[in-house]
Amino acid sequence: MYQTYIRGLERVQVRLVKHLDYRMRAVYTDYSDAVDRHNMESLESRRVLLDMSFLYNIVHGRIDSRYLCERMAVRVPDLRRTRQNYLFYIPILRTNYLKNSVVYRMLDIYNKRFNHIDIFLLSRAQFIRAVSETAG
């Protein structure tokens, strides 16, 4: 998503958290502290967790979509290249529309942040737990 839209949505949640602190007569100090106090997650961490859950379901065949599967190319690891061993191949995307599309965003997030977590070996609950521990 575009950063302007993300910041706009986060501002709504910040206002909600401030309002909850006001109603509970708590002192608002910091957004992350207030989110923890109310047992909430930031919108970005929720988006990442849901994206990874969706990717897991696609990879394991729980979501049957030929369109999504056609856009997911798995890389064969090259033992000579040690710097970037990404699991999914992402082609060069020339437009922001494609860069911010759900499929390529999921693959990019997995490659950059969760490549050390084996999406094929773990159960769904183990995978989501590992993602949430790493993300947050």
Side-chain angles (χ1 to χ4, degrees):
M1 286 179 72
Y2 293 107
Q3 291 300 317
T4 55
Y5 299 127
I6 291 172
R7 282 192 297 271
L9 290 172
E10 286 283 348
R11 269 187 253 129
V12 172
Q13 186 160 336
V14 167
R15 285 197 316 249
L16 171 71
V17 168
K18 284 182 179 180
H19 179 72
L20 290 174
D21 277 350
Y22 173 76
R23 296 285 296 193
M24 293 178 61
R25 295 192 171 110
V27 177
Y28 178 82
T29 55
D30 186 19
Y31 172 67
S32 60
D33 293 337
V35 165
D36 289 340
R37 184 172 37 253
H38 297 294
N39 295 327
M40 298 171 70
E41 293 182 23
S42 70
L43 293 177
E44 180 183 353
S45 64
R46 287 175 49 199
R47 183 174 42 256
V48 167
L49 190 63
L50 290 172
D51 280 350
M52 292 302 100
S53 175
F54 190 60
L55 179 64
Y56 184 89
N57 289 336
I58 293 170
V59 167
H60 286 272
R62 294 180 180 166
I63 296 175
D64 186 24
S65 173
R66 197 169 107 196
Y67 173 81
L68 294 174
C69 290
E70 286 174 354
R71 277 144 187 78
M72 294 175 46
V74 177
R75 279 188 146 159
V76 176
D78 185 3
L79 299 177
R80 294 171 292 173
R81 296 180 70 199
T82 59
R83 190 170 277 192
Q84 293 179 349
N85 288 327
Y86 294 141
L87 178 62
F88 296 106
Y89 171 75
I90 301 173
I92 296 172
L93 305 169
R94 302 191 189 283
T95 63
N96 283 337
Y97 182 76
L98 282 176
K99 288 177 187 174
N100 294 311
S101 69
V102 174
V103 176
Y104 296 122
R105 184 183 72 219
M106 286 186 310
L107 299 179
D108 188 47
I109 289 172
Y110 180 83
N111 281 344
K112 289 181 179 174
R113 295 177 65 182
F114 306 110
N115 201 23
H116 62 282
I117 301 172
D118 192 350
I119 195 169
F120 299 108
L121 181 65
L122 299 176
S123 70
R124 184 176 186 280
Q126 291 171 330
F127 179 74
I128 296 303
R129 189 177 316 114
V131 166
S132 63
E133 288 172 359
T134 304

